[in-house]
Every structure is written in structure tokens, then in C-alpha cells.
Amino acid sequence: QVQLVESGGGLVQPGGSLRLSCAVSGSSISSYVLDWYRQAPGKQRELVASITSGGTTNYVDSVKGRFTISRDNAKNTVYLQMNSLKPEDTAVYYCNAHSRYETNWGQGTKVTVSS
């Protein structure tokens, strides 16, 4: 059974930084596409960033230049470095690991950007 556990969320002031981690167990992540999603109160879940098994990355326009997704296959972990945080980045952030045959979600970690 594949399990994903996010960590690193918290309260940060506008302009600050956080690094989210998502540790995966039960399967090697090397063949998965890894994504970070977020869901703000009253809004739909949106895809924030993704990274393929080959290292190709994609970002939603609102975070380009501020967020960086990365993966460490040896540690079976995916990261989201978030810089220059804005109040509108406030949300629960979820990681997702998927292949052609399956998709797996973490439980989420809450990020609050507020002064």
C-alpha cells in the first residue's frame, strides 16, 4: 500500500518561505509523476506544480518564479520550495503520486500566509 505523508506547513508572514516535503512509502517514486495540489477554503482543488520521472516541471501561472518542485528518488520524497509567499497562497497543500495505473494522495498540510 502506497502512503504519502506531507509535512512542513505552518504560519508564515507575507514574503516568507516554506518548504513542504512529501515522503512516500510502499513503492519507489522513480516511475511516478509527482504533483502538488492546493485547496483554499471555499475553492476547488488546483494543481500547483508537477514533476515527471524525467525531471520535467510545470507550474500554475500564479506560482511561477516563486515555487520550485523537486524530487529525490533516493529518499522517496518530493519537495515544494515556496518563496515570496502571498496571502492568496493560503490553502491545504496535498501531494499526489500517479502513474498510468494508480493515483495516491497524502492527507495534506496546511499553509497560512498572514501578518
Side-chain angles (χ1 to χ4, degrees):
Q1 183 179 359
V2 180
Q3 292 187 321
L4 288 70
V5 179
E6 300 98 332
S7 61
L11 173 64
V12 63
Q13 291 186 343
S17 298
L18 284 175
R19 188 174 85 151
L20 306 183
S21 299
C22 175
V24 182
S25 60
S27 180
S28 169
I29 66 169
S30 60
S31 62
Y32 286 123
V33 176
L34 303 168
D35 303 320
W36 284 98
Y37 285 76
R38 67 185 178 188
Q39 187 165 19
K43 295 188 176 182
Q44 289 188 331
R45 191 173 296 190
E46 70 167 345
L47 177 61
V48 175
S50 64
I51 184 166
T52 68
S53 58
T56 300
T57 58
N58 282 287
Y59 301 91
V60 68
D61 286 347
S62 60
V63 308
K64 285 181 180 178
R66 300 189 298 122
F67 290 11
T68 302
I69 188 171
S70 61
R71 62 193 294 159
D72 186 333
N73 290 344
K75 294 183 178 180
N76 241 32
T77 301
V78 58
Y79 305 97
L80 186 67
Q81 177 67 44
M82 305 187 295
N83 299 327
S84 302
L85 282 160
K86 304 176 180 180
E88 51 264 43
D89 295 317
T90 294
V92 178
Y93 284 72
Y94 300 89
C95 66
N96 176 281
H98 65 94
S99 68
R100 182 182 305 178
Y101 308 104
E102 63 181 292
T103 187
N104 305 283
W105 289 94
Q107 83 290 346
T109 185
K110 187 174 182 179
V111 172
T112 303
V113 185
S114 175
S115 54

